Amino acid sequence: MKELFYKISTVLMAIIVLFSTVSFTVDMHYCGDTLVDLAVFKEAKSCEMEEMQLPQNFDNTVKKKSCCTDRQIIFEGQDNLKDTPVKLSFQQQAFIISYTYSYLYLFEDSNTVFTSFIGHPPPLLDKDYQVLYETFLI
C-alpha cells in the first residue's frame, strides 16, 4: 500500500510540474451568447454569420455591429526555473564516491573461486571404465 501511495504521489507531482511550466492558449468564438467553437493551441473557427460579406457594390456607410465575439484566454507557464549548480567540497566528493563504490559492490559474491584449467590438459585414462563396469549411455 505504501509503495502504491509513493507511485501515485510521484506521478501527480510530475504532472503538476509539467502543467506549471507549460503555457497554452484557449481560443473561443461566441455567436451572441452561444459558444460556437473552442480551440486549444490554435485559432477557433468562425461561424457562417461572420463569414458572410456584403456585396462590393453595396454602400458601406451603414455598418451593422456583428453579434459574434472572440475570446482568448492565455495561460502563462513559469519561465524562471533555474538549475542551481551544486558545489561540493573535496571531502563530500570523496564520501559520495566511496559510498557509491561500497554500495555497488555490497551485493557481489566474494566467495566464488575461479580456477583456470587452460594450461593443464585432462589426465589420460589408463582403463576404459565404461567397458569395465558395463555402463553405457544410450
Side-chain angles (χ1 to χ4, degrees), residues 72-119:
Q72 189 175 30
I73 301 172
I74 300 172
F75 294 99
E76 293 286 334
Q78 292 181 357
D79 290 336
N80 57 357
L81 297 176
K82 295 181 182 178
D83 186 21
T84 57
V86 178
K87 296 183 180 181
L88 299 174
S89 67
F90 179 73
Q91 288 87 10
Q92 291 171 335
Q93 290 176 5
F95 173 75
I96 291 172
I97 290 170
S98 62
Y99 180 77
T100 305
Y101 180 79
S102 64
Y103 182 77
L104 289 177
Y105 292 106
L106 178 67
F107 302 108
E108 187 174 296
D109 189 17
S110 61
N111 294 332
T112 58
V113 178
F114 181 72
T115 56
S116 175
F117 298 107
I118 295 173

Side-chain angles (χ1 to χ4, degrees), residues 36-55:
V36 177
D37 191 26
L38 176 74
V40 180
F41 298 118
K42 61 182 181 178
E43 189 173 329
K45 294 179 184 175
S46 60
C47 60
E48 289 117 15
M49 291 181 66
E50 197 169 86
E51 291 177 359
M52 291 183 357
Q53 303 233 346
L54 295 174

